[in-house]
Amino acid sequence: MNTRLLPFYATLFIGVLAYLICVIQFPGMFSTRVAGNLLTDNAFLGIAAVGMTFVILSGGIDLSVGSVIAFTGVLLAVLINWNGVHPLLAFAIALTLTTLFGAAMGLIIHYLDVPAFIVTLAGMFLARGLCFVMTTDSVPINHEFYTMLQSLYWRMPGGGRLTFIGGLMVATFAVGILIAHFTKFGSYIYAIGGNRASAELMGVPVARTTVGIYALSGFLSGLAGIVFSLYTSAGYSLAAVGVELDTIAAVVIGGTLLTGGVGLVAGTFIGVIIQGIIQTYIVFDGTLSSWWTKIVVGILLFAFIALQRILVWLSTRKASALGAH
Amino acid sequence: MSRMLMAGLTRAAPQLICLAVILLLNWLAFPGFFDMRIQDGRIFGSVVDVLNRGAPVVILAVGMTAVIASKGVDLSVGAVMAMAGAVAATMTVAGYPLLVVLLAALGTGVLCGLWNGLLVGFFDLQPIVATLILMVAGRGIAQLITEGTIVTFIDPGLIFFGTGSFFWIPMPVILAVLVTAMAVLLVRRTALGLLIESLGVNRSASSYAGVNSRLLLLLIYAFCGLCAALAGIIVSADIRGADANNAGLWLELDAILAVVIGGTSLLGGRFSIVMSVLGAIIIQAMNTGILISGFPPEYNLILKAGVIIMILLAQSLSRTGFLHVLRPAPTQTAEAKVKRA
Amino acid sequence: MAEPPILLSAEGISKSFLGFRALESVDLHIRAGEVHALLGENGAGKSTLIKVLTGVHQPDSGTTRLNGEQISVRDAQQAQKLGIGTVYQEVNLLPNLSVAENLYIGRQPMRFCLINRREMEKNARALLAQYDIHIDVAADLASYSVAVQQLIAIARAVDISGNILILDEPTASLDRHEVEVLFTVIRRLKARGLGIVFITHFLDQVYAVSDRVTVLRNGKLAGTSLCADLPKLDLVSLMLGRTMAEATHGSRRQETGPVHREISFKGFGLGRSVAPFDLEIGRGEVVGVAGLLGSGRTETAKLLFGIDIADSGTASIDGKPVKIGSPRDAIKLGFGLCPEDRKTDGIIGDLSVRENIALALQARRGWFNRMRQSEQRALADRFVKALDIRTSDIEKPVKFLSGGNQQKVILARWLATEPRFLILDEPTRGIDVGAHAEIIQLINRLCGDGMALLVISSEIEEIVAYSTRVRVLRDREHQGELTGASIDTGTIMRTIAADSARIEA
């Protein structure tokens, strides 16, 4: 078995186990209704997490995700409600801006050769600040197109609803998997995450790919912002605080190595669902409080980082046993 | 001695000029900015306010400076603040004596720091990765301690640390000065300063020279945790309650920013605690300036973003010369990395 | 037999870095269907020459011709296009990608805008089959041994370039069987008419596979010859720069009766790093360690200083057993080590000369027993004077000093701790002639003062000049010790060149 995929199998195992425990305790959770809600409630998180997966796979990090989601929400509210722009056009404007925003961060990271976390930290401040410049109020979005999108769903067998945004998340993951494994861009991401210097020697266009990765993350954060505004029907400057941490946690729990190069987009999907299951469990239980989510996520985060560390340690020990050096 | 002082002032010139300009702008926006008065045995005034409100970030920046000098970063300080505040508030409400409360809260911070140091020094995890764990879980733990409520308290002893004053000077300012002075003494009157810088510049060579890098890292992160806990106590004493969700939110980033403004490189090595403190004061002066100009306080986020970008640009320019920015030079970097590998 | 045509020729190549001459008017001619071994100690200029040929560095002067046409290689990509492929010692592929992806990254077969993985894997299998490698190409590269990775890297380089193949120490981490497999592949590629440059430091391997050999020494061409015309002993002479005729004088230093050797290592060794060895050393002794790169000499130093921890054997001082589990243990015992790689393991680049000199003493004194500034300055001033460290100011960051002066700073760092046993790993490498002589004088002086020294060097005549005893290492084993009159360059070279058990020529 490929040891690099071990974290992914561990995620899969934990995900299934968690779900089984829930179902044994609360048989009500075994329904497509709950499954549909899981997808809907975590749609924006999942979409942003796909972008974060690519960033982390390349060995970087993007702290601006939550702020960009809030920025998109506020921008949409302002455009649609106050300026009468059609939502579709507003979506296009928002996605263009967030993509450019990500690309700009990628440019700075690559050409100034500075750590991604400090650049995206500036991005986080900037995006959040721009929200406040537009408005500090929570602006509701009322538009028939929004109502139409919100009421779109596909009734699954068993009565569950796969909503438009839930479906969009699943579609995003599908496209993400295609990008990761069936495009040159995807292979370049893994290559840079594996070893930037080697990748460069092998002819990988490092500059173009780095900018592309952060642009993609910006685009997906924008998409997550659109989904979030559909989910909440409002734009609010203080929304989605700390979502970047949730997405990073989902990516790591999904089995992606935080140092880059190893991981699967599909793993992130399970990571998102595990977080959703924990929340659902807490709701079903009724006596537990919401902060347990953070603690359990923290413990899982530690467990996965420790697991990866042990795997790396084992593989270097194997390597040093093989070679003389 | 005065020559050393002059040299220090020259080195700090950009930061001092920056602070002066911000203070000047504040004064232009609010002519009463430099006014001070004494009321109820305490100095009041905007300048004092800057120092008072800036105290938690100053204290955080002191701890963060040591961490960054060792080529690390501690993302968990905000969460540690929340935890320490939660411990202090809950124990006060439960009726423990002040000394026990303080020791428990500070101990929480040290414990968190030891955990981070263990992961970084002994398990060789990347600092960002290692401290991320507590950053995520810490607020959950804080909420666990406060059981999800905002625990308010009325114990005058604890409140004194947030709003009290001593010889007219607000307590947070006194604490910040004390922590800064002690830290400066600790690193400059012992060998720790030299050893931390050496560790941050070249850990391998430091180990060859006999520096106990693992233990040193443990100590550095524990100290950072201690600072975070003290900042947490001040913040919760100030609002007379522990808010696990919002206490210290984003302050880890302010602390990192303060250190970076102070001129300590994110790549480790040479550091100056006093300069980081200056950086923290600059940040607070900006915050206060925005506030008194009538803008929403969140506007300074944009300002901070601008400051980060400018500093990164300036550091990049001074590191590699102006041409580097104009010409894509990744091949050099790649080559350097091959050599390091 | 007619000489095969010259594929690539480099003439009069010179290259300097910051005033340091790395290459001085070097010629290299690579012929089609020939394996050309490139030899030389570390710092002889091998890697600089390769980097010039592959476009990583631009030469200061000299011309490169490919098939008779003058070329100037700008970067690695262009070198690949011209047909010059390189495989480095640390396989520079990506262990986290599949074998097939490593072979085809950037040129994957596409269908409907997506990568056709099946086609890519089919091509990969076909490509590797040419090398007799039949593996699962969809698996991660990391799941295969270094040897297989090495072959995959070669397959990739030949597939992309297919004209000239440069192999930079490909056998460094392969075992005997793997080396033979690699040689089979090299011979097959040679038969296909490729020109192959083979860099190694294993002499037996040179004779096993090469047709022609070029030796570099101190950035200059030491000689080029057909392997068949060059006996092994002559080859060693070329590499180490002494002919047998000159190299007859013995050591100046004579052993003075039975000495008390208080530091003793018995059966010290570590896995495949160094075979167990005994070593005793006492006051006023210099034990020289001779051996080619990769013979286990640096590994020996790391073991003695506790950087690597011995898995067999014991150490004792004055008969009392001691534990060496870390550099700090070793320093407490009064040991010091000037490491081979000054940049990564020696200097603390951003710190000042003063701080670099004070560091080890300060670390030994402990965290809370700080050396005052004035004390540090006095210490630094004393050593700057004693060792003639050339710096404008003791507060200057050490990274701005020349190599020789940096070396002296590290020496000063250890001398400040007044060690009883000092290990010097290649103390004279890459430093200018003046500093070189000074360091040798210093070794003699320290020895005269009663210090015990272990000096590793690839300069044999240097070792002969200052050693009381000489260790010769080969193939990660201590081969024996020369004492007194038996210390001469000839004997040392013969021991180094002796047929090794690694591979029969």
Side-chain angles (χ1 to χ4, degrees):
Chain A
M1 194 182 73
N2 192 338
T3 52
R4 276 163 197 283
L5 285 179
L6 201 62
F8 173 73
Y9 294 130
T11 309
L12 200 61
F13 177 73
I14 289 174
V16 171
L17 189 72
Y19 191 60
L20 281 180
I21 290 172
C22 291
V23 168
I24 289 167
Q25 214 169 342
F26 310 107
M29 274 182 76
F30 183 69
S31 70
T32 53
R33 201 179 298 256
V34 171
N37 287 346
L38 263 181
L39 293 178
T40 305
D41 295 340
N42 294 292
F44 75 97
L45 183 66
I47 291 171
V50 173
M52 187 68 86
T53 310
F54 287 124
V55 172
I56 291 181
L57 275 176
S58 77
I61 200 148
D62 187 351
L63 296 180
S64 71
V65 170
S67 303
V68 172
I69 290 175
F71 169 78
T72 311
V74 175
L75 181 71
L76 290 176
V78 168
L79 285 177
I80 295 167
N81 248 41
W82 293 357
N83 297 309
V85 177
H86 188 273
L88 275 178
L89 180 60
F91 291 169
I93 294 171
L95 289 176
T96 311
L97 284 179
T98 57
T99 307
L100 288 176
F101 185 75
M105 292 195 297
L107 279 171
I108 295 176
I109 290 168
H110 182 77
Y111 285 98
L112 295 191
D113 197 18
V114 280
F117 97 89
I118 191 91
V119 177
T120 54
L121 171 65
M124 165 183 172
F125 283 158
L126 190 63
R128 188 69 71 177
L130 289 173
C131 290
F132 293 114
V133 172
M134 288 186 286
T135 174
T136 48
D137 302 321
S138 176
V139 183
I141 302 175
N142 301 308
H143 196 281
E144 64 233 32
F145 186 70
Y146 257 63
T147 326
M148 193 271 285
L149 285 181
Q150 283 160 342
S151 59
L152 270 183
Y153 65 89
W154 172 66
R155 186 180 292 278
M156 291 186 282
R161 289 175 175 189
L162 180 63
T163 55
F164 171 70
I165 58 172
L168 192 60
M169 169 173 86
V170 175
T172 308
F173 270 101
V175 173
I177 290 170
L178 276 185
I179 292 177
H181 302 290
F182 293 95
T183 64
K184 288 185 181 174
F185 178 66
S187 64
Y188 294 158
I189 294 174
Y190 280 92
I192 293 174
N195 184 332
R196 208 180 104 162
S198 287
E200 190 140 23
L201 284 174
M202 288 172 79
V204 170
V206 175
R208 193 148 49 84
T209 308
T210 305
V211 175
I213 290 164
Y214 286 91
L216 181 62
S217 178
F219 173 83
L220 288 174
S221 301
L223 194 61
I226 292 173
V227 165
F228 192 69
S229 83
L230 281 168
Y231 183 59
T232 58
S233 297
Y236 181 38
S237 302
L238 278 172
V241 168
V243 165
E244 55 278 348
L245 286 186
D246 295 340
T247 56
I248 294 170
V251 172
V252 174
I253 293 173
T256 298
L257 200 62
L258 253 177
T259 42
V262 181
L264 295 176
V265 175
T268 302
F269 181 74
I270 302 173
V272 170
I273 294 302
I274 287 178
Q275 289 196 29
I277 288 176
I278 296 169
Q279 265 156 358
T280 313
Y281 179 89
I282 285 166
V283 171
F284 265 74
D285 183 90
T287 59
L288 284 173
S289 311
S290 63
W291 59 79
W292 279 104
T293 312
K294 280 177 189 158
I295 297 175
V296 175
V297 168
I299 291 170
L300 283 177
L301 204 56
F302 171 68
F304 274 88
I305 290 170
L307 173 68
Q308 290 169 348
R309 187 70 217 159
I310 290 166
L311 289 179
V312 168
W313 181 69
L314 283 178
S315 73
T316 50
R317 224 173 60 142
K318 205 174 88 185
S320 66
L322 277 172
H325 283 284
Chain B
M1 204 61 205
S2 72
R3 223 186 74 211
M4 268 178 69
L5 192 69
M6 274 309 292
L9 284 179
T10 322
R11 214 182 37 179
Q15 284 84 355
L16 287 174
I17 293 170
C18 179
L19 182 61
V21 169
I22 291 168
L23 293 178
L24 187 73
L25 287 176
N26 286 354
W27 179 66
L28 289 176
F30 178 64
F33 185 75
F34 289 105
D35 294 352
M36 272 187 236
R37 66 202 148 78
I38 292 179
Q39 192 183 317
D40 305 333
R42 199 198 136 183
I43 305 184
F44 283 87
S46 297
V47 176
V48 181
D49 210 44
V50 167
L51 296 176
N52 198 16
R53 299 218 162 275
V57 175
V58 167
I59 293 170
L60 286 182
V62 169
M64 190 67 82
T65 309
V67 170
I68 289 182
S70 75
K71 215 175 198 157
V73 75
D74 186 350
L75 295 178
S76 71
V77 290
V80 173
M81 280 177 71
M83 274 190 274
V87 167
T90 323
M91 287 184 70
T92 304
V93 170
Y96 286 93
L98 181 63
L99 191 68
V100 176
V101 169
L102 289 179
L103 285 179
L106 294 176
T108 308
V110 173
L111 221 56
C112 292
L114 286 175
W115 164 261
N116 287 332
L118 197 72
L119 295 183
V120 174
F122 288 79
F123 293 94
D124 291 323
L125 282 182
Q126 280 178 298
I128 291 191
V129 177
T131 56
L132 182 70
I133 296 168
L134 263 188
M135 187 187 188
V136 171
R139 282 189 192 281
I141 297 172
Q143 279 169 322
L144 185 69
I145 296 168
T146 61
E147 290 174 335
T149 56
I150 296 179
V151 179
T152 54
F153 51 85
I154 45 162
D155 178 69
L158 191 55
I159 290 171
F160 182 75
F161 283 91
T163 53
S165 62
F166 193 69
F167 281 107
W168 303 292
I169 300 170
M171 206 53 201
V173 179
I174 293 178
L175 288 174
V177 171
L178 275 180
V179 167
T180 308
M182 269 162 50
V184 169
L185 281 180
L186 195 65
V187 298
R188 295 303 169 205
R189 293 293 147 196
T190 69
L192 287 169
L194 172 65
L195 299 182
I196 292 171
E197 283 178 351
S198 136
L199 173 69
V201 174
N202 189 338
R203 184 168 166 184
S204 164
S206 303
S207 295
Y208 271 65
V211 178
N212 193 348
S213 51
R214 289 169 189 273
L215 198 60
L216 195 55
L217 282 170
L218 198 64
L219 183 92
I220 291 168
Y221 282 87
F223 174 67
C224 188
L226 179 72
C227 290
L230 183 60
I233 292 173
I234 292 176
V235 166
S236 72
D238 187 38
I239 62 166
R240 302 175 184 212
D243 180 353
N245 269 323
N246 296 311
L249 194 63
W250 291 345
L251 283 197
E252 59 274 345
L253 306 178
D254 275 11
I256 295 169
L257 186 57
V259 175
V260 172
I261 292 178
T264 300
S265 164
L266 279 173
L267 303 173
R270 290 278 186 222
F271 70 95
S272 161
I273 287 173
V274 176
M275 294 291 283
S276 298
V277 169
L278 196 56
I281 295 172
I282 289 176
I283 293 176
Q284 188 55 46
M286 282 188 337
N287 286 349
T288 307
I290 295 266
L291 208 65
I292 57 179
S293 318
F295 289 108
E298 292 82 4
Y299 266 49
N300 60 52
L301 289 175
I302 297 180
L303 218 58
K304 280 183 202 166
V307 170
I308 297 179
I309 300 289
M310 300 245 296
I311 291 172
L312 290 181
L313 211 60
Q315 281 182 351
S316 182
L317 290 180
S318 67
R319 190 168 66 222
T320 48
F322 186 58
L323 281 175
H324 177 81
V325 182
L326 301 176
R327 173 172 48 96
T331 45
Q332 286 178 351
T333 352
E335 201 198 310
K337 276 183 189 142
V338 171
K339 270 187 206 144
R340 248 176 274 147
Chain C
M1 192 177 89
E3 290 258 289
I6 292 178
L7 268 181
L8 181 76
S9 77
E11 284 174 357
I13 303 289
S14 295
K15 176 76 188 171
S16 298
F17 297 103
L18 302 168
F20 173 72
R21 281 230 127 164
L23 281 179
E24 219 173 319
S25 191
V26 170
D27 301 340
L28 184 70
H29 301 279
I30 298 157
R31 291 161 203 272
E34 205 178 75
V35 178
H36 195 136
L38 183 60
L39 298 180
E41 283 290 297
N42 259 354
K46 286 174 303 186
S47 54
T48 313
L49 182 58
I50 295 310
K51 282 182 176 159
V52 167
L53 292 181
T54 54
V56 178
H57 293 323
Q58 303 304 314
D60 299 337
S61 63
T63 52
T64 316
R65 280 174 217 280
L66 187 69
N67 293 318
E69 270 177 62
Q70 189 166 335
I71 54 166
S72 73
V73 193
R74 272 176 286 106
D75 55 32
Q77 254 81 67
Q78 201 205 356
Q80 278 185 3
K81 281 203 197 96
L82 288 167
I84 305 170
T86 314
V87 176
Y88 294 97
Q89 177 183 356
E90 303 95 27
V91 188
N92 63 321
L93 296 183
L94 296 155
N96 60 325
L97 298 191
S98 77
V99 173
E101 283 169 321
N102 267 291
L103 287 169
Y104 291 108
I105 191 165
R107 45 190 197 118
Q108 295 104 325
M110 306 296 278
R111 194 179 50 180
F112 310 126
C113 300
L114 293 177
I115 292 173
N116 187 343
R117 293 186 85 89
R118 193 183 296 174
E119 176 86 12
M120 180 171 80
E121 282 159 17
K122 201 181 83 193
N123 294 350
R125 270 191 295 274
L127 179 64
L128 292 181
Q130 296 174 25
Y131 297 85
D132 235 357
I133 308 171
H134 304 280
I135 54 172
D136 176 12
V137 294
D140 280 352
L141 185 74
S143 50
Y144 295 104
S145 70
V146 182
V148 173
Q149 293 187 22
Q150 195 76 255
L151 293 176
I152 292 168
I154 291 172
R156 179 188 142 87
V158 172
D159 192 43
I160 294 176
S161 313
N163 223 339
I164 287 174
L165 180 63
I166 299 172
L167 300 171
D168 189 355
E169 296 201 25
T171 57
S173 41
L174 305 189
D175 72 21
R176 189 168 145 184
H177 172 70
E178 292 166 341
V179 169
E180 263 153 27
V181 172
L182 176 72
F183 283 0
T184 313
V185 167
I186 291 179
R187 288 191 193 104
R188 209 177 293 171
L189 291 173
K190 183 174 122 176
R192 275 168 52 178
L194 263 77
I196 297 167
V197 180
F198 176 50
I199 298 172
T200 183
H201 46 261
F202 296 113
L203 301 185
D204 302 308
Q205 295 180 1
V206 172
Y207 287 97
V209 76
S210 311
D211 303 295
R212 201 180 291 268
V213 56
T214 288
V215 179
L216 297 183
R217 187 173 142 77
N218 291 336
K220 291 183 200 124
L221 188 65
T224 296
S225 168
L226 282 171
C227 282
D229 301 344
L230 187 73
K232 196 185 274 181
L233 204 51
D234 293 355
L235 178 57
V236 173
S237 302
L238 270 183
M239 290 176 68
L240 301 178
R242 275 285 176 276
T243 59
M244 290 307 293
E246 301 174 48
T248 43
H249 64 86
S251 170
R252 291 191 290 104
R253 200 181 297 282
Q254 295 300 320
E255 239 180 320
T256 48
V259 274
H260 173 57
R261 294 172 179 157
E262 71 263 25
I263 304 167
S264 150
F265 302 90
K266 287 248 182 313
F268 238 52
L270 170 63
R272 293 176 58 168
S273 169
V274 200
F277 62 90
D278 292 344
L279 176 72
E280 288 190 329
I281 188 165
R283 288 173 55 82
E285 278 196 303
V286 179
V287 174
V289 176
L292 297 175
L293 191 68
S295 59
R297 52 189 200 191
T298 295
E299 289 77 1
T300 299
K302 284 187 170 174
L303 219 50
L304 297 180
F305 196 61
I307 289 158
D308 295 337
I309 296 159
D311 62 2
S312 70
T314 54
S316 63
I317 291 177
D318 290 325
K320 283 189 218 79
V322 292
K323 182 181 142 276
I324 305 178
S326 70
R328 292 183 336 107
D329 286 349
I331 291 166
K332 273 193 208 116
L333 297 171
F335 292 9
L337 167 69
C338 292
E340 182 187 26
D341 193 332
R342 256 194 321 264
K343 270 223 164 59
T344 59
D345 303 327
I347 60 165
I348 317 282
D350 287 340
L351 297 195
S352 68
V353 172
R354 164 179 62 81
E355 288 162 315
N356 268 280
I357 290 177
L359 185 62
L361 184 57
Q362 178 64 73
R364 195 177 64 180
R365 278 202 188 176
W367 294 353
F368 298 104
N369 189 2
R370 173 174 173 268
M371 295 173 68
R372 305 176 67 84
Q373 284 266 346
S374 53
E375 197 181 344
Q376 290 186 22
R377 261 200 298 275
L379 185 78
D381 280 332
R382 181 154 64 87
F383 280 104
V384 162
K385 210 166 287 161
L387 304 187
D388 193 21
I389 297 170
R390 262 153 255 170
T391 173
S392 55
D393 185 353
I394 57 168
E395 299 302 327
K396 193 167 172 178
V398 75
K399 65 181 174 191
F400 294 129
L401 269 58
S402 72
N405 284 310
Q406 288 180 356
Q407 185 69 288
K408 287 185 192 168
V409 168
I410 299 169
L411 270 165
R413 175 192 294 168
W414 291 114
L415 296 181
T417 66
E418 292 170 358
R420 71 162 94 199
F421 178 38
L422 189 58
I423 305 161
L424 307 177
D425 193 353
E426 291 278 12
T428 57
R429 174 186 300 161
I431 64 182
D432 59 84
V433 184
H436 192 135
E438 285 167 12
I439 284 174
I440 290 175
Q441 278 170 17
L442 182 70
I443 291 171
N444 283 322
R445 202 167 79 211
L446 292 173
C447 166
D449 294 345
M451 197 182 287
L453 290 112
L454 183 99
V455 187
I456 298 166
S457 178
S458 45
E459 307 273 339
I460 303 247
E461 71 272 26
E462 189 185 301
I463 289 189
V464 169
Y466 51 62
S467 302
T468 25
R469 290 180 285 147
V470 174
R471 276 288 152 119
V472 181
L473 270 65
R474 194 181 63 232
D475 291 330
R476 309 191 172 279
E477 272 179 42
H478 288 234
Q479 298 293 343
E481 195 168 276
L482 309 174
T483 49
S486 65
I487 302 177
D488 68 80
T489 45
T491 317
I492 295 174
M493 274 193 252
R494 268 191 295 275
T495 317
I496 291 175
D499 280 359
S500 74
R502 199 181 176 85
I503 248 191
E504 282 86 0

